[in-house]
Amino acid sequence: MAFIKLCIFAMVIGCTLAQRPGFKIGAGHPKSQRHLPKRPTDPPPSKEEYVPTEQCPQSDGFFPDGEQCDKYYACSDGVATERLCADGMVFNDYSPLEEKCDLPYNIDCTKRSKLQTPQPSQHCPRKNGYFGHEKPGICDKFYYCVDGQFNMITCPAGLVFNPKTGICTWPDEVGVSGCKSEDIFEFECPAVNETIAVTHPRYADPDDCQFFYVCVNGDTPRRNGCKLGQVFDDAKKHCEWSRLVPECADWYKDRLTDAELEELENPKPKKEKKPQRTRGQSRRKPARQEEEEEDDE
């Protein structure tokens, strides 16, 4: 009888434990393996290795054409879609993750020099970019074109447009016929010895007191200017206020008054603006409310 009671007790205890969450019947799992995922019965199917193509070296990304600098390919799962940059722009091939077109001055197109057929308009050989003036000898003006619409820009004094870089630079760096230093300036650097040449000597502009020439290495002239109100002192070789250089004391006579020259030389200190007060909520009662209170009395 006692044996039967013991069996019934064991069955009750077993059923109770089996109903507990996470309880496993049978051989237990080692504690070190309880966190591991279930082992798959079959190995996962292996993906086929991508075979690069001329247009798509990788299965996904943006890649340049091998011959044309403004053509590129958008690749998705190895399928190439041919695309073109806007006329005047070229594809930026620095990163296959970015779809970007850029100005040709920033990209090396020597190995893929072909371009799409130009779409010219007034002053714009192509729809986008920087372009020099059409007339020979006009070196300090150029056009900035966007979607075939132009805007003319003038370089600072002494500089000319460089079609190789798209910016204004010194005439001796351009190398364009009719826009070199000897074509632009009516000035020739005096012959000097090597000791003076390495200092890049300066000389006054014979026709303009505000400007002067720097002779790079003693033989290449570059025209520079002093700020408004000043002139170049040829004796001291630097810019000075016009009243202190006798031969140029009246240079600004027809352009600036004595008062304006005085203010340029001795500018008035700028008045500091006081910060505005941040007002809190007013404690004063509105006038109407005060009148209503007086009427109630």
Side-chain angles (χ1 to χ4, degrees):
M1 185 70 178
F3 177 77
I4 295 174
K5 290 183 178 180
L6 182 61
C7 291
I8 294 172
F9 177 77
M11 290 175 64
V12 171
I13 295 298
C15 291
T16 303
L17 292 175
Q19 293 175 357
R20 293 177 58 187
F23 183 81
K24 297 183 183 295
I25 299 177
H29 293 270
K31 292 183 179 181
S32 61
Q33 295 183 4
R34 288 179 185 175
H35 66 284
L36 296 177
K38 186 179 179 181
R39 293 182 180 180
T41 55
D42 297 322
S46 59
K47 293 184 178 180
E48 295 183 4
E49 186 176 352
Y50 176 71
V51 179
T53 63
E54 184 177 354
Q55 289 81 14
C56 299
Q58 300 174 25
S59 62
D60 298 282
F62 304 95
F63 304 96
D65 182 76
E67 297 181 350
Q68 188 169 326
C69 204
D70 53 7
K71 182 195 293 186
Y72 63 100
Y73 301 95
C75 297
S76 178
D77 292 331
V79 179
T81 302
E82 182 181 307
R83 295 183 182 178
L84 271 180
C85 294
D87 182 35
M89 308 289 283
V90 295
F91 180 65
N92 187 325
D93 61 341
Y94 289 166
S95 171
L97 301 178
E98 295 185 14
E99 183 179 12
K100 182 180 179 181
C101 292
D102 211 333
L103 289 170
Y105 313 110
N106 303 324
I107 306 299
D108 183 10
C109 289
T110 53
K111 294 182 179 180
R112 45 193 182 102
S113 56
K114 291 183 179 180
L115 296 171
Q116 63 183 286
T117 303
Q119 304 172 41
S121 59
Q122 185 182 15
H123 302 306
C124 300
R126 289 187 179 272
K127 293 185 70 173
N128 301 277
Y130 296 91
F131 306 99
H133 202 281
E134 306 95 332
K135 294 183 179 179
I138 299 182
C139 306
D140 62 340
K141 294 178 174 58
F142 63 99
Y143 300 102
Y144 174 45
C145 298
V146 179
D147 291 332
Q149 302 297 316
F150 74 91
N151 182 28
M152 190 174 75
I153 302 174
T154 301
C155 295
L159 302 182
V160 298
F161 176 70
N162 190 338
K164 296 178 182 178
T165 59
I167 60 174
C168 297
T169 186
W170 302 108
D172 58 272
E173 295 177 342
V174 174
V176 176
S177 178
C179 294
K180 299 179 182 178
S181 297
E182 56 268 26
D183 303 317
I184 302 297
F185 306 134
E186 295 180 1
F187 180 84
E188 186 176 347
C189 292
V192 294
N193 59 40
E194 293 181 0
T195 304
I196 299 176
V198 295
T199 65
H200 312 306
R202 299 181 175 188
Y203 304 96
D205 187 325
D207 300 317
D208 194 324
C209 280
Q210 191 178 353
F211 286 85
F212 60 94
Y213 290 95
V214 177
C215 288
V216 180
N217 297 322
D219 56 9
T220 304
R222 291 181 178 177
R223 193 170 184 256
N224 280 317
C226 302
K227 66 181 182 179
L228 188 65
Q230 291 189 346
V231 296
F232 183 72
D233 188 335
D234 199 28
K236 298 179 180 179
K237 302 299 181 183
H238 64 229
C239 293
E240 189 58 271
W241 298 107
S242 58
R243 65 178 180 82
L244 301 177
V245 183
E247 60 270 26
C248 293
D250 297 330
W251 180 251
Y252 294 100
K253 185 176 181 179
D254 298 330
R255 289 188 286 168
L256 299 173
T257 64
D258 292 340
E260 289 173 332
L261 286 169
E262 174 66 23
E263 188 172 352
L264 286 172
E265 187 172 350
N266 302 293
K268 296 178 181 180
K270 295 182 179 179
K271 294 182 180 180
E272 295 183 3
K273 292 183 179 180
K274 295 182 179 180
Q276 295 182 353
R277 292 175 57 188
T278 304
R279 296 178 178 270
Q281 188 175 0
S282 176
R283 296 181 181 179
R284 188 188 297 265
K285 292 182 180 180
R288 287 185 178 180
Q289 186 176 348
E290 292 178 357
E291 291 176 1
E292 290 175 0
E293 291 178 355
E294 290 177 0
D295 294 339
D296 294 340
E297 294 176 356

